[in-house]
Amino acid sequence: MAAASFALAILLYLGLDLHEAAPAQSYAADPDTVVEITYGSVIKLMHERTKFRLHSHDVPYGSGSGQQSVTSFPNVDDANSYWIVRPQPNSSAKQGDPITHGTIIRLQHMRTRKWLHSHLHASPITGNLEVSCFGGENESDTGDYWRLEIEGSGKTWRQDQRIRLRHVDTGGYLHSHDRKYTRIAGGQQEVCGVGDKRPDNLWLAAEGVYLPVILRK
């Protein structure tokens, strides 16, 4: 009941079309059912090895770009770990469309409405590529573009598939590891971009509000 209420609250907050979505019990991902990730879904991305969730909050980096910081967070129930899956601007993709391997997507932070972003600034702990949140509802650029790479033979993004996100501008893979912040984001792991495929840049779609695939004529 709590999951359904939370899912409904997210849908109302985002202004999503309740009629096109699905019955209320379908909004929250069912652990016994494999579901596809579609545009408009609100998800948490779980770092496969450490099980931390991709996270952001209205706290700027103290170095580098000074933009809104991105970390990975240990607690499952934090609302600042929700991301809305969006297509590129001017794309023909619509809410409820499935997402295939190789597609360029954007992730919008639900709470602050900024975009998952990267560039050539150095990350605070390891000096890799900084990953931040930047822009807003009507402000987005190619620094927000991430190419979906599905591990294995699957062609459409599903909840049970391991994925990598490769930043289009820099070529860096979305990455996290055991190195943690000690002050402002104490206990949270660094998120950064690295140029090569590693086990620590694998992610899984975890908790969320998964809009069902809409079949179009």
Side-chain angles (χ1 to χ4, degrees), residues 51 77 136 168 175 177:
K51 312 306 181 194
D77 58 354
V168 171
H175 185 89
H177 46 69

Side-chain angles (χ1 to χ4, degrees), residues 12 27-28 44 64 70-71 96 106 109 121 131 138-139 144 158 166 168 173 176 184 200 216:
L12 293 172
Y27 291 149
K44 292 185 179 182
V70 172
T71 63
R106 298 179 297 163
H109 189 239
H121 290 283
V131 173
N138 299 307
E139 183 183 1
D144 309 329
R158 302 189 321 181
R166 190 171 195 182
V168 171
Y173 287 98
S176 192
I184 295 177
D200 270 346
R216 305 187 190 279

Side-chain angles (χ1 to χ4, degrees), residues 12-88:
L12 293 172
Y13 175 69
L14 295 175
L16 300 177
D17 190 330
L18 300 181
H19 177 71
E20 286 189 355
Q25 62 267 27
S26 299
Y27 291 149
D30 183 342
D32 297 322
T33 304
V34 175
V35 296
E36 292 187 55
I37 288 78
T38 59
Y39 290 116
S41 293
V42 183
I43 69 172
K44 292 185 179 182
L45 278 181
M46 181 180 72
H47 188 241
E48 186 191 37
R49 186 173 68 80
T50 64
K51 312 306 181 194
F52 280 41
R53 272 60 173 174
L54 185 69
H55 181 88
S56 189
H57 37 236
D58 193 12
V59 176
Y61 283 120
S63 61
S65 68
Q67 293 173 6
Q68 182 172 304
S69 57
V70 172
T71 63
S72 53
F73 195 77
N75 296 342
V76 173
D77 58 354
D78 194 286
N80 279 311
S81 300
Y82 281 106
W83 303 83
I84 311 164
V85 184
R86 303 285 198 196
Q88 292 177 259

Side-chain angles (χ1 to χ4, degrees), residues 55-195:
H55 181 88
S56 189
H57 37 236
D58 193 12
V59 176
Y61 283 120
S63 61
S65 68
Q67 293 173 6
Q68 182 172 304
S69 57
V70 172
T71 63
S72 53
F73 195 77
N75 296 342
V76 173
D77 58 354
D78 194 286
N80 279 311
S81 300
Y82 281 106
W83 303 83
I84 311 164
V85 184
R86 303 285 198 196
Q88 292 177 259
N90 305 315
S91 166
S92 61
K94 296 180 174 60
Q95 180 178 303
D97 284 351
I99 306 167
T100 56
H101 174 81
T103 299
I104 295 173
I105 65 169
R106 298 179 297 163
L107 292 177
Q108 186 177 29
H109 189 239
M110 191 186 78
R111 181 66 62 86
T112 64
R113 316 304 279 184
K114 296 184 178 181
W115 304 97
L116 186 70
H117 186 89
S118 191
H119 36 223
L120 297 177
H121 290 283
S123 63
I125 296 179
T126 58
N128 291 309
L129 297 169
E130 182 188 271
V131 173
S132 64
C133 270
F134 182 69
E137 204 71 64
N138 299 307
E139 183 183 1
S140 179
D141 61 27
T142 58
D144 309 329
Y145 292 3
W146 300 84
R147 189 177 302 278
L148 174 70
E149 297 185 4
I150 298 171
E151 283 287 292
S153 59
K155 300 189 183 305
T156 303
W157 189 9
R158 302 189 321 181
Q159 195 186 11
D160 62 342
Q161 290 169 317
R162 301 183 303 163
I163 65 156
R164 287 184 171 91
L165 292 176
R166 190 171 195 182
H167 191 245
V168 171
D169 282 358
T170 65
Y173 287 98
L174 186 69
H175 185 89
S176 192
H177 46 69
D178 291 329
R179 300 281 298 276
K180 295 180 175 65
Y181 292 97
T182 58
R183 291 190 292 173
I184 295 177
Q188 298 176 40
Q189 293 175 175
E190 182 186 59
V191 169
C192 57
V194 298

